Every structure is written in structure tokens, then in C-alpha cells.
């Protein structure tokens, strides 16, 4: 072993209060022609140039120098003495000739090892450190080599370093790099370790999260991400920790709610699980209650709209409950829009509620600037003077002021805005600071209630990381009044520092980084500043004076009892399944076909031993299925089955069912007596083919005629020529194929002899003719010659003989005419090609429901139509089918009728790989033949403004005009002749009016992509005044590029104030006053999506909308779910 020498040093551990700064080359005074030389035996210098200064708080730092005197005598693996840095023990670990396990035999491998000692407090003990390993020449410290890294040292990952620290040939060469001495000289070298330990206030610094437990580390759990639901998770966590809100949700009665369609019930379950669960909580039940499919889970939605639509839904559910009014009390404030004259005593104002406040970020330094900008006063003077009623044109001040703030204030930072130059939405990543505490009194109206302070404390920060086209959302929340901050990132919850809450989410440019791993760039290079794409988009503040009420703890009594009971049942069931999975190696399955089951079986083989049709209840022909211990004896198994079926155990016998090469399962031979005391696992391995995972039996019950003194005398044991065969009956009249019974026959008997026994047992007249068939396999059903013996017909144990009663020709013709099958072979063919088709109505109403029919893929179109028409009680010529998309389940294309079209063609057109088993149907007013000569036009009938829409579809002659549709519309809509004379039609595209068309417009010219709207022309348009004009009106959500709803035209009256205009708009649109009050109106350009000009009550629409292409926009939430905002975002819609 080589001598190990610890060099003397002034200190082993450097105080954390005096951290060393990295030494930069530009900080060293040096002659221009002389390069600065650093000495590796100077710890101060080595700390400065080998360890990067990270943006973390230092806990402790120290170093150790290890003098190796006889390098070539070292063993393959060697550990240095233990030394301390901070409260942690360390040592240097060397592989002098390379770490062979890492295939580095030509290098010195060097590591820092974190020493776990018996007095180490816990397995969670760790140290987050930046370290460097330095090797230097003993005689000339200017000859050195170093590498550095960072690592989270723990008992699980206790060593870290450099497998290829230095190449051995280079280290021993006479000239190390540009020096004239080797690194290792005379077999001597000094290996040093410099360690700087950083504080880890969150407990997850540089954590790889492979074994992270949120509940254990923080006491809280997260929410699972379904694909792109991180935006929803962040908001749900914020609402959950608003305890007043959570309590209000709990107070909504949900005991009788449908668990699949109730948003409230799903939300209650999520909230309770967040309280009690040990692992992340799923949100699938909640999104299902929204009416979403899997595609919605991968589409991002607008968070603000999500919040509003969700709370609108909950507010409705809270009506007339204990929670009634809770959301208004918690989230709703009041603001006043005003215009106040300067020189006269006149003010026009309007007070309205707000649920959140949208604040500008661009051009604003901080939150206070955003509030000042929001209430900024605009002066109306000069050419822009305000017309005050009774005072004429006056100088005035126009603005918005707050009259009250709610206990919980949601601030939406406008990180996403429309860029006119780019003609696109962009994300604003500018720096925007927000405080932990803010006083909102400066933004209140003079007459506002100031009896309580308006100091607000930051409670939550919702963050978006990414750009407009995608990104990630998470939340930083202070869950309790006196708690710290936590980061809720989907299923992971970690502690957070104030820096992570504030500085890192202000946006703007990130602090300058340094080259490599933090070391300043050599040769005075400066790293580029990077713009942060991670910033706050929503802030949650709670009023300090109400924080105790808002964040009051949730008690056990606040939780709905039925939620706890249901989740406990689910937990017990989950535990049962988990235990079952753990013990499944101890169990096996046994399936038993028995007499009663066989008689109820309709189909192939002995029973439905495999899958059943979807939607079927457990059928009477289902074999007995048992989960049994592999160690159970066959004797016990036989006795249990017999007893459960009410038969003496001695009167039953079990036949092994084997899977034949023709893909049928049939009884083969009885299980021998030797199996009685064997375990079921031994029976399976010895007697069943291929050691199948389960066993299948046919349980034979002894016929009373073969029982003597309580002992069964089995026929095939008395005579080797006897065979067990099974009989099935095809009932031509009932169109059924069912098991009949089983019997013994002798191999040398003629097959035709069994016909007499069949007629007798069925009670048919003695002259009844019977046809016999052998069921060989699906698709192979062959007639049996009656004069053949069973041996000649190759009938053996377990075979199935099907019989059919012969009927008169006329009766058979009638059955065939009605779509039935007249022979067993035809019916078997039907079963081979049978498919259960689901028929869905194209337009659901009270008269048309979803149903299914069992049909053959070979059925021609006319027969499918006849079967459907018979079920619906309609004429088959009036039924039209539409194919279904196999991926989405939505209607795809209309099926063309024709003689060569079969059901197979209808379900699987164009050789689709995954055919659907679903068709849509319509019952038409005319036959399909007549339909082909006409064109179907769909009109959106607006009968009450724009709030009530009825879709009307009519058939118009293809070479006609829209005038031909008027009498048909009048008939369907029950309009009077006078009303019909006032109908007007306009074309709509992308929720905007495309153009108004005359009734002489050709039907053939109507494009497929255009929607036709029809309405009765309003009186004010019929009697429009000469100075008035019409303007198109459309709805949008936040941005004009997000249109929705039904557009219309409206009369602008010259000189009318917008307050008066709105009164006419209320009547024209048909909105309810409360809903109408939430709409903001703006003038926008029709040709381009320019920034809208929002209107106030005292504006004059005829003056603001003074250009030809101006349109009037109504800004309000889209509740239809049809708006698509971007490639990654859709309008939010919930149905529950």
C-alpha cells in the first residue's frame, strides 16, 4: 500500500458566512505578455477557479489534499481517509488504473464518496454539493488538472465523479500539456477534493424524483395529468386551497347524482381525495362529467374561461342550497365605468360585477402599475368632447374605478395578446413584478367602503412555461395562513422558496449565466442573456382581514358522508383486487358446462366459453366459472360443484373438454378415478393439453335409469361401443338454434334411428320428418346420411348432431319471404357472419332511439333496411343510413343503396382496417329515390332573436331557387302567410355573415361549407329611416379571432347613444337581462382582426362605426364548445 499523507492546511472547512468568489482571469493583475500562473497547492485559488458560483446559498465548504507517494504500487481500488465538510463525512475514491466496470482501463478514475456512518440521522440524509477533483505535481503546483461537477449525494447515490479523469499515458508523460514536467512525477501526485455544500430549503435541489413521495415529504398530493390537463390541475389546486370554496362545493347535495354526469359530485370526490389520499389523484371522472372524450384531454383550453364556465355551472347547482350565494360572496367585486364632466355637475356611470380582473403586462413594471393603468382616466376634450344631456358638448374625464374588491381576488395577467403587426396572438414574456402584499385602497372610488383595510396577501401564483403554441402549467400556493409555499406540478408537490414564487415568475430576462457549468467564460466572453418563458399568468390574493374565514380549516363534519362512504367502498374493492392479483399464482379457474346451461345455449359448440356480445347480461347459457385454489383436491371440487347444483356427488361425472384442431371445444374422455385425490393443479398438468392456465369440464349427471342402489352405472363403462353425443334443434319457426339434450348411442347403430327417438321425445306426430346435420365446426355443417352407422359417419364422443323438423313448402316460403332462414345450414352460416350492429339516430328526439340488431354481414342493403324499418315501424324505402367513423364514432358518409351493397360493405367501406359496428339512420319524409332528385338544405331558424335556434332540413328541387324553400319552411315552422312573406335568408361562414341572398338565388349554387340562416325580417329593418343604416353583428370571446354564436344585422340610428342602442339590442337578441349585462360591445374591422374598440353607454355607435367595413362585436363567453382558439386550445364546454 502506498503512503498516504494529509498535507497541512490552515483550515479544513470554510465558513458559509464567508463564501469564496470564483476568480476570473480579468480580476488578476498581470503583464500583457505574461500569462497568469495558478498554483494548485493554494486552496483559496483552487476554490475560485475550479468551483462555479451557483445561484444558491452556501451551507459549508472545505477541501482535502491527499499526497500519494508510490502511485504504481496502488491497488486497483483505493479509498482515502475520511474528512468532514460541514456536518457530512467524505472521502476520495480512486481507481488508479481505471474503473474496469466502466471500461476505462486507460484512465485514472476519481470520485468523491459520501460516507454514511452509523450515526447518520436517517435515510433521507443528503448533501447537495458542487465539487472539483484536482491532481497536481508535488514539486510544481502549476502543473495540475481539474474537473468539477454537481450532485445530490445520498445513501442511495453516495459517489460521484469522473470515470475518465485523466489519461494515464498523458499523466506520466514528461511534458504535461504546455509544461516541462509530468503530472505524476517520480510516482508522486497530490489528489485534492474541493467541496461546496449548498442549502436545500425545499428538500428537492437536484432531486431526480425517482423515489419521491409528495405526501411523505410535504403532506400534500398532486393531480394526475391526462395528457394536456396541467392547466386544469393548477386551477383546481388553487380552488381546493381556497377552503371557503371547497366547503361551499361540499354543501351542494349530490347523494342522488349520476356519478358519470355530475360535475359537482366529481369535484367533491377530487377534493376529498386531495385531503385523504397518499398518492396523486386522478381527474378522469371530472372530465367525463364535462362530457369530454380522450381528445379533449389532449387539448389545452383557456384557463380564465374554464374557471368562469366551471363556476357558472357550480353557481347554478348551489341555488336553493346551503351554499347559495357563496361564490358571489367569495369572488365577486364591483367596478364603476364613468364619464364625468369637468365644468358642469354631470356624471354618467354604470356599476357592474366582476369575477376577475384582466391586467396589462406589456409596458407595466409591476402590479401597481397595472392597476394604475386599469383605472387611468381619459380626458375627452377638443374634437372628442362629450355630449352631456342638457349641457351639450363638455370637457369630461372617462375611466373605470373599483367600488369593492372581493375576499378572494383573481388577477388575470394578460400574457397572451393580439399583435397587430404579426396579425397573430403572441405571448408577452416581459418582466412584471408582483408583491407578497398589496394595498388596493388607492384604486377604490371615493365613496367606497373603507371601514376595513384593503390589504391583500398573495395566496397563489399560476404559472405558464412555454410559448403560445404549447407549454406547461403549474401552481405555487401557500395552502395555509402560516404555512410555507409549495409548488403543485401535476402529480408532484414540492416545497418552494420565495425566490421561486416571485423572482422566477416575474418574466423578463434571466440573470446572466456563465460558461460551461457556471465558470465565467474565458477570454472575457459574456454569455447571452436569455428571456424567461416561465412567468405568472394568474395571481390569487386573499384579503388579510378575511383570511381566517377564507382559509378556515375543513373539518370532518364539512365533508359529505356519502363521499367518504363511496370512496371507502372503492378503496376496499381496490384492496381486494390488489390482494387477488398478489395471490393469483395460488389460484386457477375452472369452467364447467352442465345440462341446464347447454339447453339454454344458442350458437356454436357447447356454450359461450369465451367472449359474449357487448351489452349482454350474464346469459343462462353461461358455464359455471369458479376461482379455485390450485391445491384443492379434485374430490373436493367435484363435491362442491355437485352440491351447489343439487346433485349427489356420486351421481356426477366430469368429462375433460379439449380444444380440437378444428377450433371447437368438446368433451373428450371422462376424468379417471385416479384423479380423485390429485390437486387441481396436478389434474391440469397431467390431463389437459398444453398445460392450459385453466380447466374446462362437462359435468354429466347420471340418468335415473342408470342408477342402481344409489350407484351410477355409466353406459360407456358397461359397453365400449357406447358414445356420448349431444343434440341441438334448429327451430325453423322460432328461428332459434338451441341445445336439446345429450344421449348415448352405439357406434354400430344407424344414424337415422335417432330420428324416431327425437320425434318421440319432442312429442311430434309419428310421421314427422327430421333432417340431421353434424356440427363439425363454424362454417362446416354437413348433412348426415341416415343409413350410415355412427362409425361410418365418423361420429365420436362429444360430437354434436343438429336436427330440424321438416315443414310444408308454403310455410317455408313465408319464413324465407320475411327474411328468415329455412335450413340449419343457412342459420349456421348466419351465425358465422353474425354481427351486432348498433343503429343510432342522426338527430335524437323522443321518437327515435338507439337500438341494435343481430344481422349477417352477407345481408343485402334492402334486407338491412327492411329489418330496421320493421323495428321502427316505418317504410323501408324512407330509411337512409350513414356510416360511422371507427375512430371517433361520428357520422361519416351516406350509404348509397344498390343491389350489390351488403352489410359488410356498409360497415367496412374501402377496406378500412378497423371496421365499425355502428350505423346512423334517418327516417326521411320522402323515399330515397325521390331524394336523389332533390338537394337537402339545412336552415338555422332564428325565432327569438339569436338565443333560440332550430335546425330545419328540407328538400328542394336541385334546379330550383331558394324561393321554392319558403312554403316548405312555412309548413314545417307553422308560419302564417304574412310571416312567410317576411322571411329573409343570409349565408354565414365562421360565425360571421357572409352575405345576404335574394330568394331567387339558385339552390345548386349554395356551397356546402356555408350555413344558411333564415329569420323573419325585424320591423325596424322593414321601416328603416333614410339616415339609418345596417351593421353586421357577431359574437366573439376575448378576441375577434374567436367568433362563436349566431350573427345578425342591426339598425344603427343616427346620433343615438349606445345606452339607448343597447336597449334595442336587448330586444333584438332576445337575451335575458342578467346574461345581456355580461356582454361587452366593441366595434371591429371586418376585413382584419384589428384591436376592438370597446363602447361605453355614452358613445354614439353611428360615430364610432363610421367606416363601411366596421362590424359590431359582442364579447362574451362561448358556452357551445365549438370555438377553436389555436392548434392546442379549444373553447371550454361542460355538460354535466
Amino acid at each position: 500500500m502506498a503512503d498516504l499523507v494529509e498535507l497541512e492546511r490552515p483550515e479544513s472547512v470554510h465558513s458559509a458566512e464567508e463564501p469564496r468568489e470564483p476568480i476570473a482571469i480579468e480580476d488578476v493583475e498581470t503583464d500583457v505578455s505574461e500569462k497568469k500562473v495558478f498554483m494548485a497547492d493554494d486552496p483559496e485559488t483552487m476554490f475560485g477557479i475550479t468551483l462555479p458560483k451557483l445561484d444558491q446559498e452556501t451551507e459549508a465548504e472545505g477541501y482535502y489534499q491527499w499526497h500519494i507517494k508510490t502511485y504504481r504500487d496502488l491497488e486497483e481500488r483505493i479509498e482515502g481517509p475520511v474528512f468532514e465538510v460541514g456536518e457530512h463525512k467524505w472521502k476520495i475514491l480512486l481507481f488508479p488504473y481505471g474503473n474496469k466496470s466502466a471500461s476505462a482501463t486507460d484512465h485514472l478514475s476519481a470520485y468523491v464518496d459520501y460516507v454514511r456512518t452509523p450515526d447518520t440521522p436517517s435515510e433521507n440524509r443528503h448533501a447537495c454539493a458542487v465539487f472539483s477533483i484536482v491532481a497536481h505535481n508535488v514539486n510544481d503546483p502549476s502543473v495540475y488538472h481539474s474537473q468539477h461537477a454537481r450532485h445530490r449525494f445520498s445513501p442511495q447515490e453516495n459517489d460521484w465523479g469522473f470515470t475518465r479523469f485523466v489519461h494515464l499515458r498523458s499523466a506520466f508523460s514528461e511534458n504535461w500539456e504546455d509544461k516541462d514536467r509530468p503530472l505524476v512525477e517520480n510516482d508522486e501526485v497530490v489528489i485534492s477534493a474541493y467541496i461546496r455544500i449548498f442549502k436545500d430549503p425545499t428538500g428537492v435541489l437536484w432531486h431526480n424524483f425517482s423515489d419521491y413521495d409528495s405526501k411523505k415529504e410535504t403532506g400534500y398530493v398532486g393531480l394526475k395529468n391526462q395528457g394536456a390537463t396541467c392547466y386544469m390541475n393548477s386551477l383546481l389546486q388553487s380552488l381546493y386551497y381556497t377552503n371557503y370554496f371547497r366547503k361551499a362545493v361540499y354543501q351542494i347535495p349530490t347523494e342522488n347524482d349520476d356519478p358519470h354526469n355530475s360535475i359537482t359530485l366529481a369535484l367533491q370526490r377530487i377534493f376529498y381525495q386531495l385531503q385523504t389520499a397518499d398518492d396523486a389523484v386522478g381527474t378522469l371522472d371530472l372530465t367525463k362529467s364535462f362530457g369530454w372524450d380522450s381528445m379533449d384531454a389532449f387539448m389545452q383550453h383557456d384557463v380564465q374561461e374554464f374557471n368562469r364556465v366551471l363556476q357558472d355551472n357550480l353557481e347554478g347547482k348551489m341555488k336553493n342550497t346551503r351554499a347559495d350565494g357563496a361564490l358571489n360572496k367569495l369572488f365577486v367585486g364591483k367596478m364603476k365605468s364613468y364619464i364625468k364632466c369637468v365644468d358642469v355637475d354631470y356624471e354618467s356611470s354604470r356599476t357592474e360585477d366582476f369575477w376577475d380582473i384582466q391586467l396589462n403586462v406589456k409596458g407595466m413594471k409591476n402590479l401597481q402599475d397595472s392597476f394604475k393603468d386599469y383605472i387611468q382616466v381619459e380626458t375627452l376634450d377638443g374634437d372628442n368632447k362629450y355630449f352631456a344631456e342638457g349641457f351639450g358638448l363638455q370637457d369630461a374625464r372617462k375611466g373605470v374605478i373599483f367600488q369593492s374588491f372581493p375576499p378572494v381576488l383573481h388577477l388575470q395577467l394578460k400574457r397572451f395578446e393580439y399583435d397587430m403587426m404579426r396579425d397573430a396572438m403572441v405571448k408577452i414574456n416581459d418582466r412584471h413584478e408582483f408583491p407578497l402584499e398589496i394595498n388596493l385602497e388607492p384604486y377604490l372610488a371615493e365613496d367606497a367602503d373603507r371601514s376595513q383595510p384593503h390589504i391583500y396577501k398573495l395566496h397563489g401564483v399560476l404559472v405558464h412555461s412555454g410559448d403560445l403554441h404549447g407549454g406547461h402549467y403549474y401552481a405555487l400556493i401557500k395552502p395555509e395562513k402560516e404555512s410555507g409555499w409549495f409548488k403543485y406540478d401535476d402529480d408532484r408537490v414540492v416545497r418552494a422558496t420565495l425566490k421561486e414564487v416571485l423572482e422566477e415568475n416575474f418574466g423578463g430576462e434571466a440573470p446572466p449565466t456563465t460558461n460551461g457549468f457556471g465558470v465565467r467564460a474565458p477570454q472575457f466572453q459574456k454569455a447571452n442573456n436569455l428571456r424567461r418563458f416561465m412567468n405568472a399568468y394568474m395571481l390569487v390574493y386573499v384579503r388579510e382581514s378575511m383570511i381566517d374565514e377564507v382559509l378556515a380549516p375543513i373539518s370532518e363534519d364539512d365533508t359529505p358522508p356519502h363521499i367518504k362512504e363511496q370512496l371507502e367502498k372503492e378503496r376496499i374493492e381496490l384492496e381486494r383486487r390488489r390482494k387477488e392479483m398478489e395471490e393469483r399464482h395460488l389460484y386457477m379457474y375452472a369452467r364447467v358446462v352442465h345440462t341446464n346451461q347447454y339447453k339454454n345455449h344458442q350458437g356454436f359448440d357447447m356454450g359461450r366459453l369465451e367472449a359474449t356480445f357487448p351489452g349482454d347480461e350474464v346469459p343462462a347459457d353461461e358455464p359455471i366459472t369458479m376461482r379455485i385454489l390450485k391445491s384443492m383436491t379434485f374430490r373436493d371440487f367435484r363435491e362442491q360443484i355437485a352440491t351447489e347444483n343439487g346433485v349427489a356427488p356420486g351421481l356426477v361425472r366430469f368429462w375433460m373438454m379439449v380444444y380440437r384442431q378444428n377450433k371447437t371445444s368438446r368433451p373428450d374422455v371422462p376424468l379417471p378415478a385416479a384423479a380423485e385425490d390429485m390437486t387441481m393443479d396436478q389434474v391440469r398438468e397431467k390431463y389437459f393439453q398444453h398445460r392450459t392456465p385453466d380447466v374446462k369440464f362437462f359435468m354429466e349427471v347420471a340418468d335415473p335409469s342408470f342408477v342402481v342402489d344409489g350407484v351410477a352405472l355409466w353406459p360407456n363403462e358397461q359397453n365400449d361401443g357406447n358414445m356420448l353425443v349431444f343434440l341441438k334443434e334448429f327451430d325453423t319457426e322460432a328461428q332459434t338454434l338451441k341445445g336439446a339434450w345429450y344421449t348415448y348411442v352405439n357406434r354400430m347403430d344407424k344414424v337415422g334411428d335417432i330420428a324416431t327417438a327425437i320425434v318421440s321425445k319432442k312429442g311430434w306426430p309419428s310421421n314427422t320428418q327430421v333432417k340431421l346435420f353434424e356440427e363439425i365446426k363454424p362454417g362446416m355443417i354437413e348433412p348426415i346420411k341416415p343409413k350410415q352407422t355412427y362409425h361410418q359417419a365418423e361420429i365420436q364422443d362429444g360430437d354434436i348432431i343438429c336436427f330440424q323438423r321438416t315443414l310444408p313448402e308454403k310455410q317455408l316460403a313465408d319464413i324465407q319471404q320475411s327474411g328468415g332462414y329455412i335450413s340449419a345450414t343457412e342459420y349456421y352460416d348466419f351465425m358465422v357472419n353474425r354481427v351486432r350492429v348498433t343503429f343510432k339516430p342522426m338527430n335524437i328526439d323522443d321518437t327515435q332511439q338507439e337500438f341494435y340488431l343481430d344481422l349477417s354481414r352477407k345481408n343485402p342493403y334492402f334486407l338491412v333496411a327492411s329489418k330496421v324499418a320493421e323495428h321502427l315501424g316505418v317504410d323501408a324505402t324512407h330509411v337512409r343510413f350513414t356510416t360511422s367513423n371507427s375512430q371517433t364514432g361520428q357520422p361519416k358518409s351516406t350509404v348509397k343503396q344498390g343491389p350489390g351493397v351488403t352489410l359488410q360493405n356498409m360497415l367496412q367501406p374501402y377496406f378500412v382496417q378497423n371496421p365499425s359496428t355502428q350505423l346512423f339512420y334517418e327516417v326521411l319524409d320522402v323515399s330515397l329515390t325521390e331524394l336523389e332528385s332533390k338537394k337537402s338544405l339545412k336552415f338555422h331558424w332564428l325565432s327569438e332573436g339569436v338565443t333560440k335556434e332550430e335546425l330545419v332540413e328540407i328538400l328542394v328541387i336541385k334546379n330550383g331557387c331558394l324561393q321554392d324553400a319558403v312554403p316548405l319552411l312555412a309548413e314545417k315552422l307553422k308560419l302564417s302567410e304574412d310571416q312567410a312573406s317576411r322571411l329573409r335568408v343570409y349565408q354565414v361562414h365562421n360565425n360571421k355573415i357572409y352575405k345576404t341572398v335574394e330568394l331567387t338565388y339558385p339552390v345548386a349554387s349554395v356551397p356546402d361549407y356555408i350555413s344558411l340562416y333564415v329569420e323573419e325580417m325585424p320591423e325596424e329593418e322593414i321601416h328603416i329611416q333614410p339616415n339609418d343604416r345596417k351593421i353586421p353583428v357577431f359574437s366573439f370571446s376575448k378576441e375577434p379571432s374567436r367568433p362563436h354564436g349566431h350573427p345578425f344585422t342591426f339598425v344603427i340610428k343616427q346620433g343615438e347613444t349606445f345606452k339607448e342602442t343597447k336597449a334595442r339590442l336587448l330586444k333584438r337578441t332576445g337575451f335575458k337581462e342578467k346574461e345581456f349585462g355580461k356582454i361587452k360591445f366593441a366595434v371591429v374591422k371586418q376585413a382584419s382582426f384589428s384591436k376592438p374598440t370597446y363602447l361605453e353607454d355614452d358613445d354614439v355607435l353611428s360615430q364610432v362605426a363610421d367606416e363601411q367595413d366596421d362590424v359590431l362585436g359582442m364579447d362574451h363567453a362561448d358556452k357551445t364548445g365549438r370555438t377553436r382558439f389555436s392548434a392546442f386550445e379549444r373553447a371550454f364546454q361542460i355538460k354535466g
Side-chain angles (χ1 to χ4, degrees), residues 494-538:
V494 299
R495 289 180 174 81
T497 63
L498 282 179
K499 180 184 175 184
E500 290 175 299
V501 174
L502 301 174
E503 176 64 34
E504 292 187 2
N505 295 308
F506 287 161
E509 292 183 350
T513 57
T514 51
N515 190 39
F517 186 67
V519 178
R520 287 197 183 183
Q523 301 175 358
F524 312 101
Q525 292 178 0
K526 293 184 179 179
N528 293 327
N529 291 347
L530 299 177
R531 183 165 290 275
R532 280 198 177 112
F533 292 96
M534 172 182 67
N535 35 57
Y537 71 93
M538 177 175 167

Side-chain angles (χ1 to χ4, degrees), residues 124-138:
N124 291 328
R125 177 84 166 175
H126 68 276
C128 297
V130 172
F131 66 92
S132 66
I133 296 178
V134 180
H136 76 261
N137 184 290
V138 175

Side-chain angles (χ1 to χ4, degrees), residues 32 92 156 164 373 517 601 736 742 873 927 952 1024 1033 1068 1120 1130:
V32 176
I92 298 173
Q156 294 77 32
R164 290 173 172 80
D373 174 70
F517 186 67
H601 173 58
T736 59
Y742 60 87
S927 69
V952 181
I1024 190 170
V1033 186
R1068 174 73 173 90
T1120 66
R1130 291 202 309 198

Side-chain angles (χ1 to χ4, degrees), residues 366-368 409 411 432-440 454-461 476-478 480-481 483-486 496-503 505-506 539-544 547:
N366 52 38
L367 194 62
Q368 291 86 341
L409 184 60
L411 302 178
H432 184 268
E433 300 176 6
F434 50 89
L436 287 173
E437 178 180 299
I438 186 170
N439 183 3
L440 297 181
H454 285 74
I455 305 296
Y456 278 77
K457 298 282 189 179
L458 185 64
H459 176 64
V461 180
L476 293 146
I477 300 171
K478 187 178 181 182
E480 300 174 26
K481 179 181 178 182
S483 73
W485 285 85
F486 294 85
T497 63
L498 282 179
K499 180 184 175 184
E500 290 175 299
V501 174
L502 301 174
E503 176 64 34
N505 295 308
F506 287 161
L539 304 174
V540 182
Y541 281 89
V542 179
R543 193 168 181 174
E544 185 179 37
I547 200 166

Side-chain angles (χ1 to χ4, degrees), residues 566-745:
Q566 181 61 35
L567 288 173
E568 179 62 18
K569 288 180 182 177
E570 292 176 9
R571 186 195 66 78
I572 293 172
E573 175 61 18
L574 190 63
E575 180 64 23
R576 184 193 67 78
R577 291 182 181 179
R578 184 193 63 77
K579 185 177 180 181
E580 185 177 293
M581 289 293 291
E582 288 179 353
E583 297 177 348
R584 63 180 177 177
H585 65 286
L586 302 175
Y587 289 85
M588 61 187 293
Y589 284 92
R591 308 197 78 184
V592 181
V593 177
H594 53 98
T595 306
N596 292 335
Q597 169 261 313
Y598 175 68
K599 289 181 178 179
N600 284 288
H601 173 58
Q602 176 168 321
F604 297 111
D605 251 352
M606 304 286 295
R608 292 183 179 180
L609 295 172
E610 308 301 334
T612 58
F613 281 108
D616 281 350
E617 297 180 0
V618 177
D621 64 341
E622 186 72 26
I624 299 170
T625 302
M626 293 180 62
R627 182 172 180 259
I628 58 175
L629 282 167
K630 292 180 180 179
S631 59
M632 184 182 196
T633 65
F634 178 73
R635 184 191 305 277
D636 293 339
F637 171 75
R638 180 171 58 83
E639 290 179 355
Q640 181 178 336
I641 293 288
T643 303
E644 289 178 356
N645 284 272
V647 184
L651 301 183
V652 297
R653 183 169 64 161
F654 286 82
W655 290 65
M656 293 177 291
M657 295 193 69
V658 299
Y659 191 68
R660 295 180 176 179
Q661 289 184 348
N662 61 9
K663 298 182 180 180
T664 61
S665 292
R666 303 288 173 83
D668 186 39
V669 293
L671 202 64
E676 280 289 293
D677 295 317
M678 296 174 67
T679 66
M680 292 301 293
D681 197 38
Q682 290 170 336
V683 169
R684 178 182 63 83
E685 290 197 7
K686 183 171 182 177
Y687 295 111
F688 283 84
Q689 298 170 323
H690 311 300
R691 295 186 178 181
T692 54
D694 54 6
V695 291
K696 299 181 178 72
F697 295 104
F698 169 67
M699 184 177 72
E700 180 187 6
V701 180
D703 188 283
S705 61
F706 297 124
V707 178
V708 178
D709 297 330
V711 178
L713 302 176
W714 305 106
N716 61 339
E717 290 181 351
Q718 306 301 316
N719 186 337
D720 289 342
N722 289 337
M723 299 183 303
L724 180 69
V725 296
F726 293 82
L727 297 173
K728 284 184 182 178
E729 179 188 3
F730 171 55
D731 189 331
T732 316
E733 295 172 294
Q735 291 289 290
T736 59
L737 178 68
K738 285 189 176 183
W741 61 85
Y742 60 87
T743 186
Y744 281 92
V745 296

